[in-house]
Amino acid sequence: MKIYRRLQPVKAISFDLDDTLYSNYPVMMAANAGMAAYFAGVPALKGVLSQCQDVNFWFYHRARVLEAQPQLKHDVTALRIESYYTGFLALNFAPDEARSQAMAAMAEFVLLRSQIDVPQAIHKMLAALAKKYPLAAISNGNVDTRAIGLDGYFQVIYHAGKGIRQKPALDMFALACEQLAINPRELLHVGDCGRADIFGAAAAGCQSAWFPAYGIGKPLTVLPDIELTDVGELSFLLS
């Protein structure tokens, strides 16, 4: 562990989810492969299967949706639904059928992207910390915390979307502090991304612990208060 600034008293701890508490990249790759298999099993898509199984087809329609509705960058679930919907419209599905197919595809994707084996060290540390501190989950993504067995550790869980902006915007940090009835400086946020988590926490007036275990997040532009190389290093908060 590296200490850049002495921590002020901590009354609650928030955690990013993807690529902080588990490696998310292989999960997303498996989910994309799983969606190809899913599309192959939908009879109504038989005539357009080659397009449905082409990730570039969906990336193209994702870009179209973002161009028309840039606010959806803060809501990965709504963005994916609208990308599916726009794609199915382009494949000559009627609007009602396109919407139905989009919702069904989204439900399958959430199931696939939530097939995560969270390391036992993470479970152990969260369980120990939850006995002493209120814990919050603050995520830009849409993983199902119940499906991956993490929901029981957190008093509050926030996902970007439905009017809540993604980190580094202050929304989820502010909501967590408000609901946990603490001052921002009393929240220690643990995350992997130098921009979303560390810059976001600093902008919100919170303390931060950088945990870049999987090498996915963006680089630092501001220093965290501490840097972790192993989740077990958080045990100093238990003494």
Side-chain angles (χ1 to χ4, degrees):
M1 180 171 62
K2 296 179 181 179
I3 301 173
Y4 298 106
R5 283 184 296 272
R6 187 173 192 156
L7 287 180
Q8 301 303 305
V10 173
K11 291 189 177 180
I13 307 170
S14 61
F15 287 89
D16 174 50
L17 297 173
D18 295 343
D19 296 310
T20 294
L21 299 184
Y22 47 83
S23 179
N24 195 52
Y25 179 79
V27 175
M28 296 300 290
M29 294 300 99
N32 287 332
M35 287 306 296
Y38 164 77
F39 290 133
V42 179
L45 304 181
K46 184 176 180 180
V48 293
L49 187 56
S50 61
Q51 295 99 317
C52 290
Q53 291 185 319
D54 182 358
V55 294
N56 291 319
F57 175 80
W58 299 114
F59 282 142
Y60 169 75
H61 288 288
R62 181 181 185 276
R64 284 187 61 201
V65 169
L66 275 177
E67 184 176 1
Q69 304 180 68
Q71 74 279 5
L72 288 184
K73 71 179 182 180
H74 291 289
D75 191 332
V76 294
T77 296
L79 174 58
R80 183 172 285 270
I81 290 171
E82 291 307 305
S83 300
Y84 284 142
Y85 175 66
T86 302
F88 286 127
L89 287 178
L91 295 172
N92 296 317
F93 283 82
D96 286 350
E97 179 62 15
R99 181 64 64 186
S100 177
Q101 291 290 349
M103 297 304 292
M106 187 68 221
E108 180 67 16
F109 179 80
V110 170
L111 287 175
L112 291 169
R113 71 92 69 237
S114 298
Q115 293 181 6
I116 297 169
D117 185 15
V118 179
Q120 284 304 306
I122 296 293
H123 283 285
K124 183 178 179 180
M125 182 52 60
L126 289 176
L129 290 171
K131 292 178 180 179
K132 184 174 180 180
Y133 299 95
L135 303 185
I138 296 177
S139 176
N140 285 351
N142 56 4
V143 69
D144 184 342
T145 54
R146 180 178 298 179
I148 64 176
L150 292 182
D151 61 306
Y153 302 120
F154 301 113
Q155 290 194 14
V156 294
I157 299 172
Y158 298 106
H159 296 277
K162 298 181 179 179
I164 299 174
R165 295 175 298 168
Q166 287 190 343
K167 299 170 294 180
L170 312 185
D171 301 28
M172 289 185 281
F173 298 106
L175 284 168
C177 292
E178 180 180 358
Q179 190 159 349
L180 297 175
I182 60 172
N183 294 321
R185 197 62 188 161
E186 296 170 327
L187 179 70
L188 175 66
H189 179 67
V190 183
D192 73 296
C193 182
R195 176 165 173 75
D197 294 302
I198 307 308
F199 177 81
C206 305
Q207 300 181 86
S208 65
W210 190 39
F211 184 40
Y214 300 104
I216 297 296
K218 293 181 180 179
L220 295 172
T221 56
V222 298
L223 278 179
D225 293 276
I226 60 175
E227 179 180 340
L228 305 171
T229 56
D230 184 88
V231 69
E233 292 173 327
L234 286 172
S235 61
F236 81 93
L237 293 167
L238 300 172
S239 59

